[in-house]
Amino acid sequence: MTSIHTDALIIGAGASGLFCAFETAAFGKSVLVIDHANKAGKKILMSGGGRCNFINQDIQPRHFISQNPHFVKSALSGYGYDDFMMLIDKHRISYHHKGHGQLFCDGSSKDILNMLLDECQQAGVQIELNTQVHRIDAMDEGFCVYVSQHNNPKTIIAQHLVIATGGLSIPTMGASGFGYQVATQFGHQIVPTCASLVPLTFTDQTGDMIKSLSGISLDVIAFNDKISFELPMLLTHRGLSGPAILQLSNYWQLGEPIFINLLPSLDIARHLLDKKRTQPKALIRTLLAPFFAKKLLIALESHFWATIKDIEIANIKDDKLIQLGNTLNTWQIKPSGTEGYRVAEVTRGGVDTKDVSGKTMESRLKPNLYFIGEVLDVTGWLGGYNFAWAWASGHACAQSIGTRW
């Protein structure tokens, strides 16, 4: 059986794994990256609609969710926006800004993947794909990893082992729970996982109404008792999506309601009461027509004020108008679920950070074992934050391995 020796073995050829690889190799360490997929960086290629939202200008700990909200602070302070943009400029990648601090490639996500692969090549990183991991044994100083490539078995002896396998989202891209299995093998706890940054689904009458409006987008405030997001919402044939909903899904649990302000720019109750005095013969749909698409307005009318739709506003009691206005500004609905890992951008939960160093990403239970990227219980907001975590956690890990003898 063939045996390979390396200073650092990184399992996972995604964003965090590739980044960590060339930064580790820059210290003169031998680095091998393996992945069961046939291509490196598959999720990178599909991110941002193919243009890769690779970073955000404003990266703060509050943009990340974890049972330990302080865990991300050290890594984020060690490698941030300015650091990564130096790499972007070095490779002359053209990009553009979008709202909320987001940066996207002008070309395609391939620019980011090629940048990472070029850096790996220049640093002497070896990347082996189509590689299956069968067993990991701990040694006195390092690890023995049993793998096969095209049915050819071999062993990899590594002083340092880095788990960069990502989460469970988008299984068609090769996502699996392998990283959690490794963590459990060495005594780590797993914070329960679920699909996140994911569209919400509905099975009731509300769901039927939403399906009939598939394709309509509007600016809303989506909120619950934890947080609110003022962003676009998209109605689909499966439920609700768009940035507002994807963001809120990070903070939603099954069984909880969410709230939608369908018209953030207007106090609808106050508007209707004012129009009752100035346009007493008007119908509610006439007064709200300037603010909603016609198809949406008709559906809202049928759903919320069908019994008074043909009554002049002067003949509708103030209490009824106030109730309607508050309903439209604070629409309470209860999702039946999400579209799941199939389309989720990230996995919420993961390796519990209580037994991982926030400075080095090293396991506190097993020396020389590291966890980086999405496999950890760290979930970023929509908008480039999960890539920011990949870069920051990969950098912290590389600094730890690279500076050791």
Side-chain angles (χ1 to χ4, degrees):
M1 182 181 294
T2 304
S3 183
I4 299 172
H5 291 258
T6 185
D7 292 329
L9 171 62
I10 300 175
I11 303 179
S16 63
L18 294 174
F19 188 87
C20 181
F22 69 76
E23 286 226 328
T24 301
F27 286 94
K29 303 290 185 180
S30 58
V31 180
L32 170 61
V33 180
I34 61 173
D35 199 299
H36 69 282
N38 61 352
K39 291 182 180 179
K42 282 189 172 182
K43 283 184 71 175
I44 297 174
L45 292 176
M46 67 167 293
S47 65
R51 290 186 181 273
C52 193
N53 179 194
F54 55 82
I55 199 76
N56 196 289
Q57 288 178 296
D58 181 26
I59 303 170
Q60 304 293 335
R62 66 183 179 85
H63 298 130
F64 299 86
I65 302 161
S66 173
Q67 284 196 345
N68 177 8
H70 300 290
F71 178 78
V72 300
K73 290 182 176 179
S74 179
L76 293 177
S77 65
Y79 193 92
Y81 171 79
D82 291 336
D83 301 296
F84 192 74
M85 292 310 295
M86 289 176 63
L87 193 59
I88 293 291
D89 293 340
K90 173 186 174 183
H91 287 261
R92 298 180 180 178
I93 295 175
S94 60
Y95 58 88
H96 57 275
H97 297 259
K98 283 194 175 180
H100 306 283
Q102 302 171 85
L103 274 70
F104 288 78
C105 295
D106 286 344
S108 76
S109 302
K110 289 182 180 179
D111 295 339
I112 298 299
L113 178 57
N114 289 338
M115 176 189 76
L116 297 174
L117 293 175
D118 287 347
E119 287 287 335
C120 283
Q121 183 179 29
Q122 293 170 22
V125 173
Q126 185 177 356
I127 300 173
E128 295 192 3
L129 305 173
N130 296 299
T131 302
Q132 308 296 322
V133 178
H134 301 290
R135 196 172 91 223
I136 299 174
D137 290 343
M139 303 170 61
D140 290 339
E141 294 185 3
F143 303 86
C144 180
V145 183
Y146 297 84
V147 305
S148 63
Q149 189 178 48
H150 304 299
N151 295 320
N152 296 317
K154 55 184 169 183
T155 59
I156 303 171
I157 309 299
Q159 183 179 357
H160 304 276
L161 177 62
V162 182
I163 305 302
T165 51
L168 298 170
S169 56
I170 316 182
T172 55
M173 293 291 104
S176 74
F178 175 79
Y180 308 136
Q181 296 170 20
V182 176
T184 302
Q185 175 184 342
F186 291 101
H188 286 267
Q189 300 297 310
I190 307 299
V191 175
T193 58
C194 66
S196 204
L197 291 184
V198 64
L200 301 177
T201 57
F202 302 82
T203 55
D204 54 10
Q205 287 184 336
T206 298
D208 293 336
M209 181 187 76
I210 292 171
K211 289 178 184 178
S212 72
L213 299 169
S214 179
I216 291 178
S217 177
L218 66 160
D219 292 332
V220 303
I221 297 177
F223 63 101
N224 58 15
D225 60 357
K226 305 178 189 74
I227 201 163
S228 68
F229 295 98
E230 185 168 2
L231 292 165
M233 177 179 77
L234 176 66
L235 295 90
T236 77
H237 65 286
R238 286 193 175 93
L240 295 178
S241 187
I245 298 301
L246 299 183
Q247 291 281 41
L248 191 61
S249 73
N250 265 349
Y251 296 88
W252 177 78
Q253 301 284 348
L254 185 63
E256 296 177 348
I258 65 170
F259 301 87
I260 308 293
N261 183 343
L262 292 167
L263 200 56
S265 62
L266 187 70
D267 182 334
I268 298 177
R270 174 53 53 194
H271 176 73
L272 294 176
L273 291 175
D274 290 344
K275 293 301 181 181
K276 183 175 181 178
R277 291 191 297 272
T278 60
Q279 296 177 243
K281 294 185 178 297
L283 302 178
I284 292 175
R285 63 174 170 269
T286 304
L287 300 173
L288 295 182
F291 307 106
F292 295 107
K294 184 177 180 180
K295 187 176 181 180
L296 175 59
L297 181 63
I298 293 171
L300 293 175
E301 179 181 72
S302 176
H303 197 72
F304 291 118
W305 70 91
T307 59
I308 56 173
K309 66 178 183 177
D310 294 320
I311 300 177
E312 294 177 352
I313 194 168
N315 298 319
I316 303 174
K317 291 183 178 179
D318 287 1
D319 288 349
K320 190 74 172 179
L321 296 174
I322 293 171
Q323 180 185 23
L324 174 59
N326 290 341
T327 297
L328 295 175
N329 279 136
T330 316
W331 181 24
Q332 179 176 334
I333 49 179
K334 184 177 286 189
S336 60
T338 75
E339 289 196 40
Y341 291 118
R342 180 181 63 86
V343 297
E345 296 200 19
V346 294
T347 301
R348 194 168 73 215
V351 178
D352 197 327
T353 60
K354 69 180 180 181
D355 292 319
V356 179
S357 166
K359 292 182 179 180
T360 65
M361 304 296 123
E362 185 177 12
S363 167
R364 299 186 191 278
L365 305 179
K366 173 58 181 167
N368 297 331
L369 174 64
Y370 299 79
F371 299 93
I372 60 175
E374 192 183 343
V375 72
L376 287 161
D377 174 36
V378 175
T379 305
W381 284 12
L382 186 73
Y385 295 104
N386 287 291
F387 274 120
W389 176 244
W391 317 140
S393 60
H395 173 80
C397 176
Q399 293 296 308
S400 176
I401 297 174
T403 54
R404 294 189 181 185
W405 294 101

